[in-house]
Each structure stands twice: as C-alpha cells, then as structure tokens.
C-alpha cells in the first residue's frame, strides 16, 4: 500500500473510533481530496466532521486550537509546509503554550499535518523543509513520517497524547509503497522504543559488531539512505547501522549513542 493511502486509511479509522476527531484543511473535500489525495473519501463518509476551510492557514490553526480547547481532537492539514509560516504565531504563542500556562488545567491537542520537501517541481515557496523552524519550541512534538513507521500506529500514538504535534510528511513519500520489516531482504529491522517518543527504527545488514558507521535520518532522506545502505552491504560488504527517527522533537538520543558506542 502506498503511503498516501495508508495515511488516509489511518485518518478514516481515527474518525470511526473517536467521535472527538475532526479533520479540517484547504481543498480536502471530495472529489478533490486534498492536494495529495490523502483525505479522498473522508468528506463523503464523515460530512460533518471533515471540513474544507477558506484559504487562511492562520484561521485553520486558530479554529483547530479552539476545537482542541473545547475537547475535540482536531487534525488540521496545512497544504504545504512552507505555509506553516502563516500560522506560526498560533503555533508558537498559543497552541504550544496553553497547557503550561494554565498548569495542566487546559490542553490543546492539535495535530497539524503538512507536506514538506522538494522534488515535485512546485517552486521555491512550495518545496522547502522548514521543520527546523519548529524544533525547540517547548511542549511541541515534531513527528516525521517514514515508510518504516506505520501511519495508523503513529496516529493512534498522537491522538492518545495531549501534546500538540506537527506531523511532517515529505511529498515524495506519498506514492511510495510502505515497507514491512520482513521486506528488507537480508536486513535486521528493529523498533527501538523508549515509551515516551515514537520508536526509532534501526536497520542493519550483517552483525552489529561489523557496522563501521551510524547514519541517522528521517522521512524521505531515510529512504534514500536505506537504498544506499543496501547497496553498500550487498555490493561492497560495507556495513552501517541506519537509525530512522520517528520523532524529531523530543529526539530520543539513547539509540544514537548506543549505536555510535
């Protein structure tokens, strides 16, 4: 199953299982189903809870924050990651602050999904990877999609937590097939989970003692690294350990330090 469809099915299951979940964003209604077709079919199935918005990212973030404060679990789609700049005030000064400002008596569990990265020919203002600009904001999770992280498990994890989240999805992942661990021929695939963050996925060829480097990556670059890793192992007998982070903030450093050691 391609990533875009797997993510769409994860959203569908979330809407079925929890009546508090609402989805909003620009052009997400059928028959268009969003710029990358992730939400196709959702407005038909859930017409009252999946809503197309006006072209205002600030409004999308503000409405999502209000819904979250009122007890809903909003999942907001920002059509391109570049447009996070237009709702940055809501993210920095409101969504990420409420729980700490009110000593835990309020929470704002907004999930903002947004496509990131280049490679699709969309030009300079629709092709940036700007997740670095939201790293380091207190009380804000930054999650990165990869082909090794099951979208359904990721979404369940995020919806079970009250921490607001930016969910980064590289555009070039959408048409690619999800990767089951057993499909990495000859590789050992291990999920390293500390219980608080999404797991880091470790991919190795050969015994760990023969790995001569640690490579840390995320999202689509992790898929490029995995392909190179396989070629190095199978053609050159050069072994490295690839760590694919599921979460960029907070980042679980323990697997990185253990691999490097």
């Amino acid at each position: 199953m391609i990533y875009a469809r797997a993510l769409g099915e994860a959203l569908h299951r979330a809407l079925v299982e929890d009546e508090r979940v609402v989805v909003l964003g620009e052009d997400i209604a059928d028959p268009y189903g969003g710029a990358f077709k992730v939400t196709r079919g959702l407005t038909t199935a859930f017409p009252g809870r999946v809503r197309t918005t006006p072209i205002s990212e600030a409004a999308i973030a503000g409405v999502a924050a209000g819904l979250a404060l009122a007890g809903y679990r909003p999942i907001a789609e920002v059509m391109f990651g570049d447009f996070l700049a237009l709702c940055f005030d809501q993210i920095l000064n409101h969504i990420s602050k409420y729980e700490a400002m009110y000593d835990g008596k309020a929470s704002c569990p907004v999930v903002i999904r947004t496509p990131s990265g280049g490679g699709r020919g969309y030009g300079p203002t629709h092709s940036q990877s700007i997740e670095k600009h939201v790293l380091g904001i207190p009380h804000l999770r930054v999650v990165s999609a990869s082909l090794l992280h099951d979208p359904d498990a990721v979404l369940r994890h995020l919806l079970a937590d009250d921490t607001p989240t930016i969910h980064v999805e590289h555009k070039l992942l959408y048409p690619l097939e999800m990767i089951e661990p057993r499909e990495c021929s000859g590789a050992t695939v291990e999920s390293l989970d500390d219980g608080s963050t999404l797991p880091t996925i470790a991919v190795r060829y050969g015994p760990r003692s023969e790995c001569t480097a640690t490579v840390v990556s995320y999202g689509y670059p992790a898929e490029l690294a995995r392909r190179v890793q396989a070629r190095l192992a199978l053609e050159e007998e050069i072994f490295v350990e690839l760590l694919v982070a599921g979460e960029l903030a907070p980042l679980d450093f323990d697997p990185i330090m253990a691999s490097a050691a």
Side-chain angles (χ1 to χ4, degrees):
M1 183 182 295
I2 65 171
Y3 176 72
R5 183 177 176 189
L7 180 55
E9 291 196 359
L11 290 168
H12 187 279
R13 280 191 288 271
L15 286 157
V16 168
E17 294 175 0
D18 190 341
E19 293 185 351
R20 299 173 302 165
V21 172
V22 292
V23 177
L24 62 155
E26 297 163 358
D27 284 337
I28 65 172
D30 294 330
Y32 192 62
F36 299 94
K37 312 308 175 190
V38 170
T39 58
R40 181 181 288 169
L42 294 184
T43 53
T44 299
F46 308 94
R49 293 165 55 208
V50 180
R51 308 296 286 268
T52 288
T53 68
I55 304 174
S56 172
E57 284 74 20
I60 292 170
V63 169
L67 287 167
L69 291 169
Y72 290 91
R73 307 295 301 214
I75 302 172
E77 178 179 301
V78 172
M79 188 182 288
F80 288 93
D82 315 69
F83 303 157
L84 286 177
L86 297 169
C87 47
F88 190 69
D89 179 54
Q90 294 282 1
I91 294 168
L92 175 67
N93 291 318
H94 301 275
I95 290 171
S96 64
K97 297 289 190 289
Y98 287 125
E99 186 169 5
M101 284 170 61
Y102 294 102
D103 195 26
K105 295 181 175 63
S107 62
C108 196
V110 174
V111 175
I112 298 178
R113 297 181 37 249
T114 190
S116 176
R120 290 286 296 262
Y122 290 130
T125 62
H126 293 66
S127 305
Q128 300 169 92
S129 296
I130 68 167
E131 48 266 27
K132 59 184 171 290
H133 295 296
V134 291
L135 296 177
I137 297 176
H139 313 294
L140 181 70
R141 302 179 77 172
V142 182
V143 169
S144 177
S146 85
L147 298 180
L148 288 164
H149 288 88
D150 174 31
D152 187 58
V154 170
L155 197 57
R156 288 178 188 274
H157 183 92
L158 298 181
L159 292 174
D161 186 53
D162 285 341
T163 307
T165 302
I166 306 293
H167 189 278
V168 180
E169 305 159 12
H170 198 290
K171 302 178 190 71
L172 295 183
L173 290 178
Y174 289 129
L176 299 183
E177 296 283 337
M178 296 297 301
I179 297 172
E180 294 289 337
R182 62 179 179 272
E183 294 173 356
C184 294
S185 179
T188 299
V189 181
E190 184 180 0
S191 179
L192 308 175
D193 188 359
D194 73 348
S196 62
T197 62
L198 290 170
T200 296
I201 307 296
V203 183
R204 294 188 300 274
Y205 288 86
R208 195 178 198 190
S209 60
E210 294 185 14
C211 291
T212 57
T214 296
V215 177
V216 183
S217 192
Y218 70 95
Y220 180 71
E223 174 58 15
L224 299 181
R226 189 187 68 83
R227 297 174 190 177
V228 174
Q229 177 196 30
R231 289 182 59 186
L232 285 173
L234 301 176
E235 298 176 14
E236 306 290 341
E237 294 189 357
I238 297 172
F239 302 111
V240 303
E241 182 166 47
L242 172 63
L243 301 180
V244 183
E247 196 154 350
L248 305 182
L251 179 64
D252 183 7
F253 281 98
D254 288 344
I256 300 172
M257 299 304 293
S259 178

